[in-house]
Structures are given as C-alpha cells and as structure tokens.
Amino acid sequence: MAVFRKNIWLIFYILFAGAFIFLCIASYFKWHSVHKEYSASQTNLVKLVSNATHALFLSQEMTLNILGHQILKDNDSHVMDRLLVLNPSIIAFGFVDTDGNYQTVSSNFNKVKLPNLRELEASKDSFEYTMTQKKMVLGRSYFVAASGRWGIPIRKSIYDKDGTLAGVMTAGLAIEGAFKIFTENLSIGDYNKVMLIRDRDQYLQYESSSHETPKELYQTPLPHNFMDNILTTISQKYGIPFNEIKQKPIIYELNVANEVGKLVKATLKYNPRYELWILSEVDHDKIISDFKGIFFGYIFVFIFIHIILFFLFRMIAKAEEKRRKDLVFQATHDVLTNLPNRNYLQQNIQDWIYTGAPPFSLCYLDMDHFKNVNDSFGHEFGDILLVELTKRITSLVDRNSIVIRQGGDEFIILSNHTDNKKLLSYAQIMLDEISKPYHIKEFDFVIGVSIGIAKYPENGNTLDMLLRAADIAMYEAKKHRNSVRLFADTMQAGYLNRMSVEHELRKALDKNEFHMVYQPQIDNNGNIYGVEALVRWKNEKLGIIPPDIFIPIAEASGFMPQLGYFIMNRTLSEMRTLQLELGISFQISLNISIKQFIEVNFLERLIQETDHLDLSHISLCLEITESLFIEDIEYILPLLEKIRAMGFSISMDDFGTGYSSLSMLKKLPIDELKIDKSFIDTILHDINSEKMVQNIITIGKNLDLAILAEGVETKEQEKLLKEFGCDCFQGYLYAKPLEYDVLKDFFRVKN
Ligand code: C2E
Ligand code: CA
Ligand code: CA
C-alpha cells in the first residue's frame, strides 16, 4: 500500500517533470518564434524602405540631371520654379559652380544670401565629393530656417558637351514631404526606429521613429565605432570579408549595441548607389518583454494546472491512505472485540521495547475452561462472553495500557506498572472483576481466569522472551484456579526441565524406554483380585522420571493418546501371557488419561486392542478421574455406558479431591470408587479425613459400588478402613508396584 502511495506521488512528480520539460521546450520555441516574427517584420520593413528610398532618390536624380542640363543650356530659373510646383517635396533648386557659388536658384530663395558650398563646413565635404562622382550624392540633413522644414541636400555634378564639369545641380529634399508616403508606417512602434545612415561619414540621413526628432540629430555623425561594430559582427556572423559586405544585396540581421549603447536587434541593408545603410532597430527589451508576457502566461497555466493536479493527487493519496489505514486496522485488530490482535503486538512492540525504554509489564490472561463454554453453549454464546469479558478488562486498564486479544480466550495487557505489589493487587482486581457472574441468554455463570505476569527488561528483552516468561508464569497460575503469578527464575528451571522432558518424551517410545509395573490389589480376605498397571520411564539422559511429572507433560504436549495406547497394548499382552502361564484370572486396572479418553476413536481402539488379544475372559477396569466430567458431559456419559456394556468396569480414581460431590455419584455409570491416597495418609490423625472416608464408604456402599482404598501403608490404616466397611486395598502394606517377573513370583507365593 505504501508502495502505491509512493507511486501516486511518483506519477505526480513524473507529470510535473514532464510538464516542466514541455514548458522549457515550448518556451524555447516561443522565444525563437517571437524572434522570427520580429525578424520577418524587420526584414520586410527594411526591404520596403530600401526600395522606396532608392526609387525616390533615383527619380530625384533624374530630375536633377535633366534640370541641370537645362540650366546649363539657357540659365533660366523659371524652369526650376515650374518644377518646384510639380515636385512639392523639393524645398528649392539651385545650380552651383565648381567654386561652390550659387549661379541660379529657384525664385523662393535669394541667391545672394546663400553660402558658398565649398566654404560652408556642413556642405564642404559632400560638395567636393559630389564633384568627383557621376551619381547623385546626398549631403548632411539640415534645418531650412526659411521654410521651417528639415531637408536633405541632393547634388549631382553636371557636365557640358565636352565632358568638363560645369557645375553642380543641387536641391533640398524636404524630409517630411519626400518620406511622407512611409513615415506614418515606417516605424512599427516605440521600440523601433528606421535609420538611413551615410556610409561615408556615418551621418544620419534620416531617422524615423515615433519620437520627435531632435534638431542636433543630423548635425553630428554617429559614434564612429557604431557602424564598425556592426560590420565586424556581420563579418563574423555571415563569414563575409569586410570589403565584400557592401557588395552583397543581403539583408543582414544581428544583435548589437546601438548608437546609444542599448542592445538592439538590428536589420540592415546597404544601398551602394547612394552609399546608404538602411537600418531598422528593435529594442531587445521589447522582444524580451513580448516573450516574457507569453512566458509568464505559460508559467501561470503550468502552475495553475499543477496546483489543481496537486490537490487532486493529494485527494487520491489521502483516500488511499485511509483505505490503507483501514486495511492495516483490519489486519491488526480483532473483529469480534475490536481489540488489537497478535499482529498488532508484533508490529508495535518497538514502541515499548527499544534502547533506554522504561520498564513495563506484560500480563498474560487466560480463561479457565473456555473450551467447555463453547462446547456446551455454542460459539455464539462464547463470542458474547468474550465481548463481555473484553468490556470488563478494558474498563479496568488505564490510558497508558493496551489490551490485546492474543488468541481465542487469551488476552495480553501491556502496562507501565512494574511494582510487584501493585501488579499483584492490580491483577487481583482484574481477577475479581472477571470472576463476577455473567448473565448471558438467561444463564448466570462464572468463569475463572489465570494470569501470568512478566516484566521488561528483567524477564526478557524481546517480545518472544516476555511472552514465554508470562506463559510460564501463567502455567504456574493454572495449577491453582483463578490465580495470578509473577514470573520467577525458578519457574524458568521448571519450564526448561519440562521442555527437555517433552523433547525426550517424543523419542522415548521409539527408543523403547517405557515399561509397565503392576501393583496388586487385595480383597477383604487378603487375596489378590487384581493389579493396577502403572507406567515407568527410564531415559538415558534424564534418568528415571516419575509418572506424576511426565504424564501431565505428555498430556499437555498431545503425546498422551499415543503413550496411552502403548500402555494399553503392553499391559494387556503382558497380563494375558501371565494369566495363561499361571492359569489364573484377575482384574486389570488401566489408568486412562482424560486426553486419551476424549479421543474420537478411543472406543474403537479399545475394541481393537482387546479383540486382537482375545481377552474375552479377562476382566478389565478403566480408571478415570473426576476431571473427566469437566469435559462435555453429554459426550462422556454415553461413552461410559458403552464401555460398561462391553463388559468393562469403570473406577473413579483419586476420589474426593476433585469437584464432583458425593450427591453426583448417583448419576455416574461407575463400578468402583478409589479413595484418594491423601485421605488414607491422614486418616489416623485427622478427624476430617476420617469423616470423609467414612462418608465415601457409606454412600458408595449405598450405591452398590466397590470401595478401594489406595496408599495403605500400615496395619492400623487397614484395620480402621475395614471397620468402616472398605473391602478392597492397595498399597505398600501389600506390595509396591512390581516388575513383571516379580509380580509373577508374587502370584506364585500367594497361590
Ligand atoms: P494413581 O493412579 O493414583 O496411582 C497410584 C500411585 O500411588 C502410584 O504412583 C503408586 O506407586 C502410588 N502408591 C501406591 N501405593 C502406595 C503407598 O502405599 N504408598 C505410597 N507412597 N504410594 C503408593 P505412581 O506409579 O508414581 O503414579 C503416579 C500417578 O501417575 C498415578 O496416580 C497416575 O495418575 C499416573 N500414572 C501412572 N501410571 C500411569 C499410566 O499407566 N497411565 C496413566 N494415564 N496415568 C498413570
Ligand atoms: Ca490409578
Ligand atoms: Ca489414585
């Protein structure tokens, strides 16, 4: 899930990066296209201006030529006046001799007042240049005070028939008039100006811009590095040698610093006839600002889209996060009680266990005989009980503790309490609360619970170690109903021992480490009427282990049924052999573990074993304990009936120690009562024991049951028991449990 969450943002980042790259590319192309647009309009403009000026000057040149020759012929100024009328863009005409003096002028000017063109500083250079040229030459633009207009002097040398220079035809071309046709649309805007620059001296001939033209503009040449700079750049950019630049009919384009040092995009073309540069400049700033406008538009759209996308993705990510959290919750919580489960504990234990973590306690809570509740009342009922139990537990823990449902009827409480006294009283409160009666579906009943407590870090510094320690403590607690135990290292030894016993047990059958011993049972007259089979285990590592130790372990580890069938098989075959050999018959008592008894196919196995050995004539007695009746009684009772119907008898072992009351005996399908050894041990000194034994015998007799006293060690005990009416005896007074051969001898002697 986290992967998905990362992925969704990854998609976002990829989109973002993709869009960003696209933005860069689009901006790059836009930049070029803006440039191109300007370049196209500039080129057109330069072309237009170049053609128009050329045509204009050419026509004026023709006029000057014709007029010059006319003047030379008849020296009549009238023809000038007439032409002035026809050509309003001309301010005045004049014919100047080679010395620079006006010979003839149009009548709107006074010849006498006019300067000598060879002497006048402003005209000297261009006049002399005119005399060296056959073509028309332009002079410096000047302000004609008389007409209040700006004019361009145009001059052409006139030759007589012999080819000698006769003079110079000159005229003033009114800038406004001559350029009117295109002044209005010459410049594209504020940021643009078109200039005609004289190549020879770099004077500005004409400048068209939307600004008003300052008077001085035409009176000083442009900074002389301006054109040099342009030519150098052209030469570099176009790879043309310096001297060829002016010979090519190319419209050059370049970025340069203009005459006032501002970066411009310059587009220019050279007119070789009139030695003019037609130059259009566009402020670079303008191009940039045009581009910026579009670029910021792009950026805006980009940001806008991504803000929307961001929120969209965040929404999806949040929804996904919620779904993930729900899933995690489901995986880490129990559906029935809504408590965190085992997975939760595994995943979150690092909140409790880390270097420098404060101490805490882990309580392991396990209901006693919950299985019976489920079996007897159904699972639905069990569920209700669990929910009810959960409520009680959670109502008692504080905010810093967590309650976890570890499994079926097992709960774990992690809490900050670590003081032994406090923990025990806390657990006791919990026990008291839990063992209050429950009222579910008209039933009132109580349940017991056992609590084992382990502490971090002293009992373990991993979850597994703590769980095991708490489990060991709980195992101790289970030995006494409804109680609590704190883990102690001494328990660990017992646990480890149990572990090794369990380990060795599994191999013991194969290694043939078990054998049977038999303890004779004596009747009133001192005759042997039966034997109780008792199992013995001698292990190569652990030595002789008493059945009191290994039988409960075999039961707890699920090994009991297997061992039980071995005991049954071995006992029956040995006793059959013995009986056949000695030609006698006696009862054989077999201890049947509850775990074996409730095995589904117990009865079939029993039939199988007895049939197989052809034991029809042997009487068999099964010893069961009261704890059997904790199990599903509906199942147990019919089973006992069936066993009796097969001709086997049932003996109630260790009677008096368990829960079943004497009044219950009536309902149970049994044949014999075995009074527990603990009563016999104390019968001579403890009046309660004596009373108890007396009662058992009286009631048992009433119910027609055989009464057997076990653990009889003295004659005194036997005497008293006989007085009370006991008729069967077993104990060291008569014989210890005997090995097969010893038993054989024992029978031989007795008979
Ligand atoms: P239990 O069934 O009550 O067996 C009687 C126990 O009392 C036997 O101990 C026996 O040796 C002992 N005993 C008999 N007479 C005297 C006496 O006069 N004085 C003293 N001090 N003890 C006497 P054992 O053989 O150690 O068995 C202990 C328990 O282990 C048995 O108690 C029984 O619950 C279980 N057990 C033993 N063998 C088997 C078996 O083959 N199958 C099953 N399921 N349980 C067995
Ligand atoms: Ca027994
Ligand atoms: Ca017993």
Side-chain angles (χ1 to χ4, degrees), residues 2 80 372 406 559 717:
M80 290 182 180
N372 300 333
Q406 174 77 350
F559 180 62
Q717 289 169 338

Side-chain angles (χ1 to χ4, degrees), residues 516 519 532-536 546-548 551 560 567 591-593 623 653-654 674 676-677 710-713 730-733 735 737:
M516 301 308 299
Q519 188 173 34
E532 179 183 4
L534 294 159
V535 69
R536 293 290 176 266
D548 286 335
I551 294 285
M560 197 60 222
I567 291 168
N591 292 289
I592 306 294
S593 155
E623 291 189 12
D653 203 355
D654 304 337
K674 274 184 108 165
D676 192 65
K677 183 177 163 296
E710 68 177 335
V712 182
E713 293 181 352
Q730 184 183 342
Y732 292 176
L733 177 63

Side-chain angles (χ1 to χ4, degrees), residues 336-337 339 367 370 380-396 411 433-434 436-441 443 445 447:
L336 178 67
T337 60
L339 288 178
M367 268 199 265
F370 177 71
E380 192 197 341
F381 195 93
D383 283 355
I384 298 174
L385 177 62
L386 280 173
V387 171
E388 194 53 42
L389 179 79
T390 303
K391 275 188 204 154
R392 293 192 189 182
I393 297 174
T394 47
S395 73
L396 287 176
F411 294 84
E433 180 68 24
I434 292 173
K436 281 180 190 162
Y438 292 79
H439 183 81
I440 299 171
K441 290 189 175 178
F443 293 99
F445 66 97
I447 52 166

Side-chain angles (χ1 to χ4, degrees), residues 661-676:
S661 58
L662 284 169
S663 59
M664 227 183 91
L665 279 177
K666 221 188 311 182
K667 299 179 207 154
L668 302 179
I670 52 174
D671 307 275
E672 182 187 77
L673 275 188
K674 274 184 108 165
I675 307 168
D676 192 65

Side-chain angles (χ1 to χ4, degrees), residues 516 563-573 590 592 596 602 605-606 609-610 613 620 622:
M516 301 308 299
L563 177 60
Y565 294 121
F566 164 82
I567 291 168
M568 191 184 283
N569 184 281
R570 174 65 64 90
T571 301
L572 294 178
S573 65
L590 268 178
I592 306 294
Q596 188 184 3
F602 172 71
R605 285 294 292 268
L606 181 66
E609 296 288 344
T610 48
L613 290 168
L620 182 63
L622 302 187

Side-chain angles (χ1 to χ4, degrees), residues 420-432:
N420 283 357
K421 253 191 189 161
K422 265 196 193 144
L423 270 176
L424 286 174
S425 73
Y426 175 67
Q428 194 54 52
I429 294 171
M430 190 77 73
L431 284 180
D432 293 346

